[in-house]
Amino acid sequence: MDLEEAYQVVGEFGRHQKRMVTILVLLQIYMACQTMLIILVGAVPEYHIDIPVTGHPNDDITQNVKFTEDISSIVTEWYLIKHEAYKVNLAGSLFFAGVLIGNVLFGPLSDKIGRKPVFLTGLFFEVLFGYGTALAPSYEVFAVSRLLVGMMNGGMALVCFVLTQEYVGKSYWAMTGTLTNMTFAVGITLFAALGYYVQPWRNLATAANCPGLLLFLFCVTLPESPRWLYSRGQTEKAEDILKDFALRNGKGRISVKLRRTVSTSTTKGSSPGVFQLVTHPILRWRTVVLMYVWYACSLVYYGLTLSASEDKGNRYLTVAMYGLVELPAYPLCMYFINKQWAGRRKSMANFLAFSGVSCLLTMFVPVSGSLLSVTSLALVGKLMVSAAFNIAYVYTSELYPTVIRNAGLGVCSMSCRVGGILAPFVPSMKSLHTSMPFMVFCLSGISAGCLGLLLPETLNKPAAETLDELSSPTYQRILQPQVPLLEEKHLIDHNGADSD
């Protein structure tokens, strides 16, 4: 039997898989706290600068500044104002730069040595460096710790998402992907509540890091991905794990006999990696489009979320709202992406375009004081881009074969983090023009939505396990008529080259 038939026999989403997915999904709360930490830890209170009687301020700014808000943050501890204010945004960007590095390093590595060792290593060191953030004696140590936390987060989060997909049958990929992203939104809201009750920034950083330590102990018990083992030719180990799934799902001892495969490393001399994303004619164009889609999703998503710290009013309530507004996006995703007339491709493209339109409309409404204001439209834009981001995760997993899925997700996530690096600085573009940040978000969303229409539809289509299967005429006929002309042309060129 093939792998999907085996999952139907042992249970595509049995009680054992539910327990494993629950552990991985709860990790999203921890990751949300780490990702959004700078919003509250780097909060800038109201302040004024006292001018001495001499009329000349002292060189030591700590003697001149008086903070009028009673809050604890890195700004109040290290006086990150005026010419030092950029350091707050820099710390946020360093986190996403670390995530980018983690994606580049850990994504392909998990395709080569396995999901579990890379995942556990990333989680362990993220927790360790997270405590380093809370204990940082200076801004420089704090900034380095955020870079290292981001690096581990990038590697661990990517593999965590892949595992939630590969532990279950393909028919449940959309559900587990949606549940993962929904829990991240809940994590943003819970982080706002935690920040309200634990306001000293060092205590907040410590409290936000503690769940990671507890969840690490649970994650040690998780098995290796049977899909990864099968794609690497380790069929017997994959069969053993699937038999264990059946036993723990209450189906008893079932004989699982998978169709034998020859690993890519034995047939090609080396395992497929990032280089294949450039050389393979089908994967090359998918990767280019997906990289821009992920970049745009990240820029708009994190840009709108991080701008919450600049909104007037209760910052804890504002951060919570930017988390809660995502929740309706996920039922919308589940509805549209499983409808034949919408599917993954059209749904993602439309949600991206609508997020851009929402940001565009902010130019024509008042800043606040009415139901239709800049804040309300920004929240609508956040809802739409959250839906698109969620679909992008699920859709990308289905577009890449198992043997190179993590490398593909890693490259797309790398592009995504470029958007994350730039996002903290976009809200500060208000100094040029009040509508400039929303114009950037608008153009990014609409252009990414248009490019997304170049991708093939994957709804109710089998997932390819190997590169040979992806390139086979039989598999491509299954994707018809949804294969775009651009991809079809390169398929013909590829098959023609093979026949020669």
Side-chain angles (χ1 to χ4, degrees):
M1 65 179 74
D2 64 25
L3 202 55
E4 291 307 324
E5 290 173 341
Y7 271 100
Q8 291 174 7
V9 171
V10 305
E12 289 191 278
F13 196 47
R15 62 175 180 238
H16 180 53
Q17 286 135 306
K18 289 175 182 175
R19 284 193 290 267
M20 294 189 297
V21 169
T22 298
I23 294 172
L24 295 172
V25 163
L26 287 176
L27 264 175
Q28 295 297 317
I29 296 176
Y30 169 67
M31 286 186 272
C33 291
Q34 288 297 337
T35 304
M36 301 301 165
L37 187 71
I38 195 64
I39 295 179
L40 298 183
V41 165
V44 182
E46 296 288 338
Y47 66 90
H48 67 268
I49 299 178
D50 292 331
I51 304 297
V53 179
T54 58
H56 299 285
N58 296 323
D59 292 335
D60 186 3
I61 194 171
T62 62
Q63 298 180 16
N64 302 323
V65 175
K66 300 295 182 183
F67 293 104
T68 56
E69 284 186 77
D70 184 21
I71 67 170
S72 170
S73 71
I74 60 173
V75 175
T76 60
E77 180 164 337
W78 294 315
Y79 292 89
L80 304 181
I81 57 174
K82 295 295 182 180
H83 63 281
E84 298 283 312
Y86 75 94
K87 291 184 176 180
V88 179
N89 290 333
L90 178 62
S93 292
L94 283 174
F95 175 86
F96 287 106
V99 174
L100 187 154
I101 297 170
N103 292 154
V104 174
L105 295 178
F106 290 103
L109 189 62
S110 68
D111 280 331
K112 294 181 182 296
I113 69 174
R115 313 302 199 211
K116 183 178 178 179
V118 173
F119 168 66
L120 290 179
T121 301
L123 178 55
F124 174 79
F125 282 104
E126 180 173 1
V127 173
L128 187 65
F129 295 138
Y131 285 117
T133 294
L135 299 173
S138 65
Y139 170 79
E140 289 72 22
V141 175
F142 175 85
V144 171
S145 71
R146 296 315 296 162
L147 176 69
L148 294 173
V149 168
M151 191 184 303
M152 297 302 112
N153 183 284
M156 181 272 292
L158 181 67
V159 185
C160 177
F161 178 81
V162 170
L163 284 174
T164 62
Q165 306 271 283
E166 296 188 349
Y167 280 152
V168 302
K170 186 177 182 295
S171 60
Y172 286 91
W173 283 12
M175 190 201 71
T176 56
T178 299
L179 189 61
T180 297
N181 292 322
M182 183 183 294
T183 310
F184 188 90
V186 173
I188 296 175
T189 305
L190 292 177
F191 173 65
L194 180 65
Y196 178 79
Y197 289 104
V198 185
Q199 296 197 3
W201 78 265
R202 292 185 184 274
N203 294 347
L204 176 60
T206 302
N209 198 53
C210 286
L213 180 60
L214 177 63
L215 289 168
F216 172 79
L217 301 177
F218 286 105
C219 290
V220 171
T221 64
L222 298 176
E224 182 56 88
S225 164
R227 290 183 183 274
W228 179 83
L229 291 170
Y230 182 70
S231 71
R232 301 292 295 179
Q234 301 180 41
T235 311
E236 292 183 0
K237 292 182 179 180
E239 289 172 349
D240 291 339
I241 291 178
L242 290 171
K243 289 174 184 177
D244 185 59
F245 282 7
L247 189 62
R248 293 172 181 265
N249 286 338
K251 293 182 177 289
R253 298 187 180 277
I254 296 177
S255 176
V256 177
K257 205 70 175 173
L258 295 173
R259 186 180 299 121
R260 267 16 186 195
T261 62
V262 180
S263 69
T264 309
S265 58
T266 60
T267 58
K268 300 282 186 180
S270 62
S271 59
V274 177
F275 189 62
Q276 288 286 350
L277 299 177
V278 178
T279 59
H280 196 284
I282 297 176
L283 292 178
R284 178 168 58 243
W285 293 107
R286 288 187 185 181
T287 302
V288 169
V289 173
L290 286 170
M291 284 179 69
Y292 185 74
V293 167
W294 280 61
Y295 160 80
C297 284
S298 178
L299 182 70
V300 179
Y301 179 92
Y302 289 112
L304 289 174
T305 306
L306 294 173
S307 66
S309 62
E310 298 193 2
D311 289 350
K312 301 299 182 182
N314 190 319
R315 61 172 53 88
Y316 304 104
L317 179 60
T318 304
V319 173
M321 285 173 57
Y322 273 87
L324 288 173
V325 76
E326 292 186 40
L327 297 182
Y330 302 111
L332 285 174
C333 287
M334 292 297 292
Y335 177 78
F336 284 110
I337 65 177
N338 291 312
K339 294 296 181 182
Q340 197 65 43
W341 49 268
R344 276 69 159 146
R345 181 171 63 105
K346 292 179 182 177
S347 297
M348 183 183 74
N350 279 294
F351 278 124
L352 276 168
F354 287 141
S355 70
V357 171
S358 297
C359 293
L360 177 64
L361 293 177
T362 59
M363 299 170 58
F364 309 103
V365 296
V367 175
S368 59
S370 65
L371 182 62
L372 190 64
S373 63
V374 169
T375 301
S376 60
L377 285 173
L379 289 172
V380 172
K382 177 70 186 299
L383 186 152
M384 294 296 164
V385 78
S386 299
F389 216 160
N390 175 62
I391 298 172
Y393 269 95
V394 177
Y395 193 23
T396 304
S397 293
E398 296 176 344
L399 285 170
Y400 285 110
T402 300
V403 73
I404 203 169
R405 182 170 296 127
N406 232 38
L409 277 167
V411 169
C412 291
S413 191
M414 176 185 70
S415 176
C416 165
R417 302 315 162 192
V418 174
I421 292 170
L422 298 176
F425 292 98
V426 175
S428 62
M429 294 175 70
K430 286 182 179 179
S431 59
L432 302 176
H433 193 278
T434 55
S435 63
M436 185 64 73
F438 290 106
M439 182 56 65
V440 172
F441 300 146
C442 165
L443 295 176
S444 300
I446 294 176
S447 58
C450 293
L451 278 177
L453 293 173
L454 297 175
L455 298 168
E457 182 55 71
T458 59
L459 177 63
N460 297 328
K461 305 297 187 296
E465 300 293 338
T466 64
L467 295 179
D468 291 337
E469 184 179 345
L470 176 69
S471 302
S472 68
T474 302
Y475 182 76
Q476 292 299 322
R477 278 196 296 269
I478 293 174
L479 290 183
Q480 295 292 349
Q482 287 86 357
V483 175
L485 293 176
L486 178 66
E487 198 165 293
E488 186 177 0
K489 174 183 179 298
H490 287 276
L491 173 65
I492 293 172
D493 294 342
H494 179 67
N495 289 336
D498 287 346
S499 63
D500 294 340

